[in-house]
Amino acid sequence: GENVEQHPSTLSVQEGDSAVIKCTYSDSASNYFPWYKQELGKRPQLIIDIRSNVGEKKDQRIAVTLNKTAKHFSLHITETQPEDSAVYFCAATTGFQKLVFGTGTRLLVSP
Amino acid sequence: NAGVTQTPKFQVLKTGQSMTLQCAQDMNHNSMYWYRQDPGMGLRLIYYSASEGTTDKGEVPNGYNVSRLNKREFSLRLESAAPSQTSVYFCASSLITGGDTQYFGPGTRLTVL
């Protein structure tokens, strides 16, 4: 079955810096890769996703890149703000199977 | 729309007690899920229901049972609670299983003494 590894487990940046979180997956058939953000005490919420027919997707300050050959995908946050502080989860699926989540990255953005 | 709702929000049980966590969604989604979240371990799937009338085990099903009561409701039962089941439980739903956005409920914080 699918296995997703996520790094780093914690990431501290200064406000305005960029942050990058990386995930690798094991199942070459996986074709859907969402990213969820979970603020303290809240539920996870989807922030961006990418499908395997696309190499990169952007939404304002957030972007996701996918390298199918290497089986890894990354979340990029530019011009970080304190409200970006949260736990971020990557996930992967073949599309007809259940999502498999990474173990999460705690991002702390200091003013 | 309320989205995904869960009850209760908090619960304290003694070892050996039983309880049922309730989940409902009003988005006409076919698939529903139960996860547990423990520090440093991310979201682990307990059980899921790809469609009304079906349920399947996830990564950590031992000690739990589920019921897909109808298209809207999916419950999780702990028959004999153990301290290892202390966790935050999230219900989620999606239009289809896998390649679709999952919408999460607010969570239930369960402590087993």
Side-chain angles (χ1 to χ4, degrees):
Chain A
E2 177 68 276
N3 183 49
V4 176
E5 294 190 358
Q6 183 171 349
H7 300 280
S9 56
T10 59
L11 179 59
S12 294
V13 300
Q14 293 291 319
E15 182 177 0
D17 287 350
S18 294
V20 180
I21 302 169
K22 299 181 179 181
C23 290
T24 60
Y25 62 98
S26 61
D27 190 343
S28 57
S30 288
N31 58 10
Y32 177 63
F33 308 91
W35 286 88
Y36 286 79
K37 175 184 179 182
Q38 186 179 28
E39 297 176 354
L40 189 62
K42 301 289 181 64
R43 71 190 80 187
Q45 291 189 297
L46 181 78
I47 55 171
I48 194 167
D49 57 13
I50 192 168
R51 299 188 187 272
S52 59
N53 57 344
V54 176
E56 183 177 4
K57 184 176 179 180
K58 286 185 178 180
D59 183 2
Q60 300 182 332
R61 296 185 297 108
I62 293 173
V64 57
T65 58
L66 172 64
N67 184 326
K68 287 187 66 180
T69 303
K71 291 191 285 188
H72 68 70
F73 56 113
S74 300
L75 178 70
H76 304 254
I77 306 174
T78 59
E79 301 173 21
T80 54
Q81 302 167 2
E83 52 264 39
D84 293 329
S85 295
V87 178
Y88 292 81
F89 293 98
C90 63
T93 180
T94 59
F96 296 98
Q97 301 298 322
K98 52 193 181 294
L99 272 179
V100 176
F101 285 86
T103 50
T105 296
R106 184 174 300 279
L107 174 64
L108 177 61
V109 181
S110 302
Chain B
N1 289 348
V4 181
T5 57
Q6 291 182 236
T7 56
K9 284 187 169 56
F10 302 94
Q11 184 72 48
V12 179
L13 293 178
K14 294 181 180 178
T15 298
Q17 288 185 315
S18 62
M19 78 161 297
T20 300
L21 281 65
Q22 306 285 356
C23 174
Q25 53 89 11
D26 62 1
M27 295 177 282
N28 202 32
H29 284 170
N30 295 301
S31 302
M32 298 185 72
Y33 314 83
W34 277 106
Y35 293 92
R36 60 178 289 173
Q37 185 173 37
D38 303 295
M41 301 195 74
L43 293 158
R44 293 186 293 169
L45 185 64
I46 305 170
Y47 271 94
Y48 70 105
S49 171
S51 61
E52 187 178 357
T54 68
T55 60
D56 284 291
K57 295 179 181 179
E59 182 185 355
V60 288
N62 291 346
Y64 305 94
N65 284 301
V66 292
S67 295
R68 182 74 182 265
L69 304 170
N70 48 54
K71 191 171 185 178
R72 291 186 65 249
E73 298 172 289
F74 189 38
S75 63
L76 179 72
R77 182 160 179 85
L78 287 70
E79 290 290 353
S80 178
S84 60
Q85 294 179 305
T86 293
S87 188
V88 179
Y89 291 85
F90 286 100
C91 176
S93 71
S94 63
L95 187 59
I96 58 171
T97 300
D100 191 41
T101 304
Q102 288 192 14
Y103 295 86
F104 285 80
T108 295
R109 185 172 295 274
L110 174 67
T111 301
V112 183
L113 302 175

